[in-house]
Amino acid sequence: MEAPLRVVATPAALDLIERLRREHGDILFHQSGGCCDGSAPMCYPQGEFLVGDNDVRLGEIGGAPFYIGAAQFDYWKHTQLIIDVVPGQGGMFSLENGTGQRFLTRSRLFSDDELTMLALITSQ
């Protein structure tokens, strides 16, 4: 059994990511922890968002690295994040703002077997 990915994207999200990469070059995501834009996944040009020492890299979606703050990761470590797209206004500083679509985080709980696999990987 392979370890599950901590973050994945729907086909609609992957389409929007590709569009944003064509328009803006290399991008990255950071799962917002609240405040002004709620808890939306925020998309930035690489180099214009400073990834902190306490940010955790969950993986990549559409070739873009995806990060989350360590404190928030501690709450969500038992779930797989599923990045989707819905109609609406993107976050104020997120690149999809103005496209008529916004990124949305859905999630599902990892099974006990998946959690065991993830624990084995992180202990190596």
Side-chain angles (χ1 to χ4, degrees):
M1 178 177 173
E2 279 189 45
L5 298 174
R6 288 198 172 272
V7 61
V8 297
T10 65
L14 292 172
D15 287 345
L16 183 55
I17 291 167
E18 180 57 32
R19 174 181 166 190
L20 294 174
R21 290 180 76 200
R22 282 194 312 271
E23 292 176 16
H24 301 281
D26 291 335
I27 59 174
L28 68 79
F29 284 86
H30 192 278
Q31 178 63 46
S32 172
C35 186
C36 303
D37 289 312
S39 59
M42 303 293 286
C43 181
Y44 303 99
Q46 282 191 26
E48 291 189 24
F49 180 84
L50 182 61
V51 176
D53 292 339
N54 290 323
D55 288 328
V56 176
R57 184 179 170 141
L58 294 183
E60 284 189 3
I61 55 173
F66 193 102
Y67 296 89
I68 189 170
Q72 194 170 9
F73 174 72
D74 196 47
Y75 288 116
W76 289 25
K77 64 186 173 190
H78 59 282
T79 64
Q80 180 181 62
L81 301 186
I82 304 160
I83 308 307
D84 200 358
V85 171
V86 294
Q89 186 71 7
M92 184 181 306
F93 302 107
S94 192
L95 289 177
E96 84 276 14
N97 190 2
T99 66
Q101 298 177 300
R102 67 180 182 90
F103 290 109
L104 174 77
T105 301
R106 302 180 193 279
S107 64
R108 71 165 184 89
L109 290 172
F110 286 124
S111 70
D112 290 341
D113 289 341
E114 289 172 321
L115 287 171
T116 299
M117 290 296 297
L118 288 168
L120 289 172
I121 290 171
T122 56
S123 68
Q124 295 177 357

